[in-house]
Amino acid sequence: MDYAREQARTLAPAKLESSSQPSTGPVRKIRVRVYADSDYREQVVRWRSSVVSQLQRASAVMQGPLGVVFELESTREWAHRGVEGELEGSLTALELTDPGEDVDLVVGFVSALKLFSSAQHELGMARLFGRHCVLREMGNPEEVRAIMEGLIHLPQDERQSLYEERKVHKETSVFLHEWAHTLGAFHVRNSHWMMFPNYAPNQAAFTPQTLELLKTSLRHASAGRRDDAAARAWATELGALLASTSSPDWEGPEKESVVEWLAQVREGRAPLVAHQPQAPLPPEDRRRFDEILALEKAGRVEVAAQKMEPLARRHPEDFLVQRLACYLGTRVAPKLPATREKCEAVAGKFPSEPAPLFLLATLSLQQGQHLEAQGHLVRARQRMEVNPGTPPEAWGDLAAFFKETSSVTWAEQALQKAGNDARTEPLRTWARQARRWKALPVDVSVSGVAVEREGEFIRAAKDVEDSLDKGLAAKAQARIAWLKREFPRAPVLHVLDCEGHLRANRKGPAKAACLQAVAAHEEAVQAHFILGWLAVKSGPHEEARTHLERVVALEPVHKQAWQMLAEQYRAVGMAEALKTLQGRYREQFAEELR
């Protein structure tokens, strides 16, 4: 039991650090107004006392390093019900319910998630430099069950105590994470710190650099949220701090976005808060809007579009209405010039929003206008880059669109900001495969293909392969000539020459061209496969194995390479290597390698 108790204690959260060097300055009171929505009030019986406890714990952590004490101004019931897995709508609703100009922070508490998540954006949400945040109740049933099962060998009272420790740690850490966002703090790259994008029980403090950022913002926040000149002063000092401070935990696209945003604020080209909520629709029009959404979801798109027209005319300044009107147009009449004009008008009227540009890109792609679509996506990316509040999901959307234009590098760059999840992994796989099959190195000086022309390049190379497969030699040669003129240093030219020679049964020139391809780009998977195949036919087993093993490593779904490699192992009696290969094949394809 002692051993079990020690093991269970490893599940205890880290002690939230106050500071080894307490603040010697005056106490800075952060006045907090709290709203609790109906779901939260149902889930937390004594919710007011729970809120008081949370603020007291947060004060105990921040009074030392920053002299900050969170003071409860009032608690209010909130006639709101959130949506599972979505906090943006709740945050906007809170901003519209109470601008909070007479307090420092407005907090809205909403229901717990039904399923477990450690992603900070699913546990809480705040806008950079805003004064509002929403937080979930942290008593997630699935998480409770998992923790209790991990503590099964402890007595019930000890289990309950340790669970409570973890829950209050999570409540405090997530609250401080979101509060720090309202002062301009961005995510860091080390999971040890509280500003990491995912919550973990081992997080106990802010980085020293984040604390300096918070100190700077605390001096400016009160006036900076009320006065444009004070906002510019805030942006100036904070921008100088970020420019002069470097840390491996800090560097990355999130910091770059904040630096760029602060520069725009400093120059008077942007407001301090990246997003301002718009006034809600009148109740009757909100009902119509919801009805239109329901019709679209049910597949009745034409009816939805008809009902949308009068609503769009009545609310030309409402972005959500105008975006939906544009979207329905792309569904009902994508080829009509009026649809494009409508979406272009929305993109121009709302210059900070990327969504209309995504819809314009969709129209262009439907008409085969890849370069035009690419232009819309580049504009969308520019809008996203200067908005530090752009969520990871939006970057995932952008990466998916760049995939449709075959813009590999731009897709990879968007994926760096999109996080890692089940949705982005196929896009990462596509990017790797595109580089390997089209022999496209990352380094432009090696590839000979400018980033903005990757789509043209990849589509032309694919045209060549399709033409060769269909026996259209003249068409293939015309496209190869264009590729050689436009991208004379591209390694894929050697691969295409190799394929052309092989199809004409010129094995010697084919081998020479493929060797040139792998010399130019070692990950040129098709060149390795052809070299392996040629070696199988001519007999040098070691050479065949070398290239086929490389194909399997670079492109694990290439079944023919696995099968040919297995035959090579059998031919020279490499039984152990064959057994290992068969096991890997079974894991990859859930079938036996014969």
Side-chain angles (χ1 to χ4, degrees):
M1 177 62 75
D2 287 342
Y3 174 74
R5 182 175 283 112
E6 285 303 311
Q7 286 294 100
R9 288 299 303 175
T10 63
L11 295 173
K15 180 176 173 54
L16 287 164
E17 298 172 10
S18 54
S19 177
S20 58
Q21 296 180 333
S23 173
T24 57
V27 170
R28 186 184 300 274
K29 291 183 179 179
I30 306 295
R31 298 178 72 243
V32 183
R33 182 176 297 144
V34 168
Y35 287 79
D37 81 354
S38 49
D39 290 327
Y40 181 84
R41 297 195 306 272
E42 289 173 8
Q43 292 170 354
V44 183
V45 179
R46 291 183 290 277
W47 65 270
R48 285 188 171 88
S49 61
S50 175
V51 166
V52 170
S53 297
Q54 288 194 48
L55 295 183
Q56 288 174 342
R57 289 193 298 270
S59 298
V61 176
M62 300 316 302
Q63 187 168 2
L66 296 177
V68 163
V69 170
F70 296 94
E71 180 182 77
L72 182 63
E73 184 264 355
S74 63
T75 57
R76 304 183 184 186
E77 294 187 359
W78 186 18
H80 167 77
R81 281 190 182 275
V83 178
E84 174 71 12
E86 195 277 324
L87 287 176
E88 172 73 28
S90 295
L91 181 57
T92 298
L94 182 67
E95 292 167 324
L96 292 168
T97 298
D98 185 348
E101 293 178 357
D102 57 334
V103 293
D104 299 297
L105 183 66
V106 182
V107 180
F109 284 94
V110 299
S111 66
L113 286 168
K114 291 185 175 69
L115 300 175
F116 169 73
S117 175
S118 63
Q120 289 281 6
H121 72 271
E122 292 187 331
L123 301 174
M125 183 170 287
R127 301 195 204 286
L128 288 182
F129 305 108
R131 68 168 84 237
H132 297 74
C133 69
V134 288
L135 302 170
R136 289 200 178 278
E137 205 286 303
M138 298 301 169
N140 177 276
E142 185 177 299
E143 187 176 6
V144 172
R145 184 173 61 255
I147 291 172
M148 287 306 199
E149 288 174 358
L151 305 174
I152 193 68
H153 297 297
L154 288 183
Q156 175 63 28
D157 60 339
E158 290 190 41
R159 272 194 286 166
Q160 187 63 36
S161 174
L162 195 47
Y163 163 69
E164 288 296 332
E165 267 189 71
R166 287 176 65 101
K167 183 172 181 289
V168 299
H169 179 280
K170 190 173 187 179
E171 288 173 346
T172 308
S173 180
V174 174
F175 170 80
L176 291 173
H177 178 105
E178 299 306 330
W179 168 69
H181 275 322
T182 69
L183 294 173
F186 45 87
H187 289 150
V188 299
R189 304 175 69 178
N190 187 328
S191 62
H192 173 74
W193 304 108
M194 281 196 291
M195 288 312 295
F196 191 69
N198 289 344
Y199 165 78
N202 70 324
Q203 291 162 359
F206 293 117
T207 68
Q209 294 81 12
T210 299
L211 284 175
E212 286 301 314
L213 180 154
L214 296 175
K215 287 178 184 177
T216 300
S217 288
L218 283 166
R219 289 197 295 272
H220 292 275
S222 181
R225 293 191 179 116
R226 294 178 173 85
D227 177 77
D228 288 343
R232 289 194 292 273
W234 184 359
T236 299
E237 186 174 349
L238 196 55
L241 173 68
L242 297 184
S244 64
T245 307
S246 178
S247 164
D249 294 339
W250 251 25
E251 303 309 317
E254 291 214 26
K255 178 184 176 183
E256 293 165 10
S257 293
V258 173
V259 168
E260 177 132 3
W261 186 257
L262 291 171
Q264 293 202 48
V265 174
R266 186 171 63 247
E267 296 162 8
R269 294 188 291 117
L272 186 66
V273 183
H275 168 87
Q276 298 288 353
Q278 60 194 25
L281 293 173
E284 185 59 25
D285 281 346
R286 180 71 223 188
R287 185 192 63 74
R288 292 188 180 97
F289 185 82
D290 292 341
E291 179 188 352
I292 292 166
L293 287 175
L295 286 167
E296 189 278 332
K297 190 173 182 180
R300 301 175 64 190
V301 186
E302 291 82 2
V303 178
Q306 289 172 1
K307 289 182 176 291
M308 189 74 234
E309 288 183 12
L311 191 63
R313 285 196 297 271
R314 281 199 299 276
H315 299 284
E317 303 300 323
D318 190 294
F319 171 66
L320 295 180
V321 169
Q322 296 303 315
R323 181 181 66 180
L324 182 58
C326 165
Y327 167 72
L328 291 172
T330 67
R331 294 286 307 279
V332 174
K335 294 183 180 179
L336 279 184
T339 298
R340 183 179 294 273
E341 290 169 8
K342 181 189 301 181
C343 291
E344 286 174 345
V346 177
K349 192 176 189 66
F350 302 96
S352 65
E353 298 287 353
L357 294 169
F358 286 169
L359 292 168
L360 284 168
T362 299
L363 290 174
S364 298
L365 288 168
Q366 288 172 348
Q367 296 172 30
Q369 299 168 340
H370 291 88
L371 290 178
E372 186 174 293
Q374 182 175 291
H376 292 311
L377 296 176
V378 170
R379 287 171 61 203
R381 185 188 64 179
Q382 290 168 344
R383 295 182 178 191
M384 293 162 68
E385 283 176 337
V386 298
N387 182 351
T390 299
E393 310 86 72
W395 289 107
D397 291 340
L398 182 64
F401 272 109
F402 273 135
K403 173 181 180 292
E404 295 305 309
T405 65
S406 300
S407 304
V408 183
T409 297
W410 283 336
E412 290 169 334
Q413 290 171 349
L415 286 168
Q416 289 176 1
K417 304 181 182 183
N420 294 310
D421 56 30
R423 180 187 176 221
T424 59
E425 189 51 40
L427 293 171
R428 297 179 198 280
T429 299
W430 165 79
R432 286 194 299 270
Q433 290 176 329
R435 289 201 179 279
R436 290 166 179 174
W437 283 101
K438 298 301 182 285
L440 181 66
V442 173
D443 188 342
V444 174
S445 68
V446 178
S447 73
V449 181
V451 171
E452 62 271 16
R453 299 199 68 191
E454 285 177 356
E456 291 178 84
F457 165 78
I458 288 176
R459 288 190 294 277
K462 189 175 186 305
D463 286 346
V464 172
E465 292 164 350
D466 291 344
S467 296
L468 289 173
D469 288 340
K470 294 173 183 176
L472 304 174
K475 185 176 180 181
Q477 286 305 315
R479 287 303 266 162
I480 288 174
W482 182 86
L483 279 165
K484 288 182 176 179
R485 183 176 69 252
E486 298 294 320
F487 308 102
R489 295 187 292 112
V492 79
L493 294 171
H494 301 305
V495 180
L496 296 174
D497 281 345
C498 176
E499 288 192 38
H501 288 309
L502 188 64
R503 290 168 191 268
N505 203 32
R506 297 188 292 268
K507 295 180 182 176
K511 181 175 181 179
C514 271
L515 286 172
Q516 284 181 290
V518 296
H521 183 48
E522 198 281 328
E523 293 189 353
V525 66
Q526 179 69 349
H528 279 295
F529 179 71
I530 293 173
L531 289 168
W533 185 87
L534 288 170
V536 167
K537 297 299 181 183
S538 60
H541 295 297
E542 185 176 353
E543 184 179 343
R545 289 196 307 273
T546 296
H547 290 294
L548 293 172
E549 285 170 350
R550 192 67 182 124
V551 174
V552 167
L554 291 170
E555 186 54 281
V557 298
H558 199 310
K559 281 190 173 183
Q560 190 177 0
W562 289 83
Q563 292 158 358
M564 290 171 62
L565 182 57
E567 288 301 319
Q568 290 299 299
Y569 287 158
R570 290 189 186 99
V572 295
M574 296 176 65
E576 195 61 35
L578 177 61
K579 183 179 178 182
T580 300
L581 188 72
Q582 288 171 328
R584 289 168 54 204
Y585 186 91
R586 193 180 304 116
E587 289 180 12
Q588 179 72 33
F589 299 106
E591 61 183 58
E592 296 299 324
L593 175 60
R594 305 298 181 187

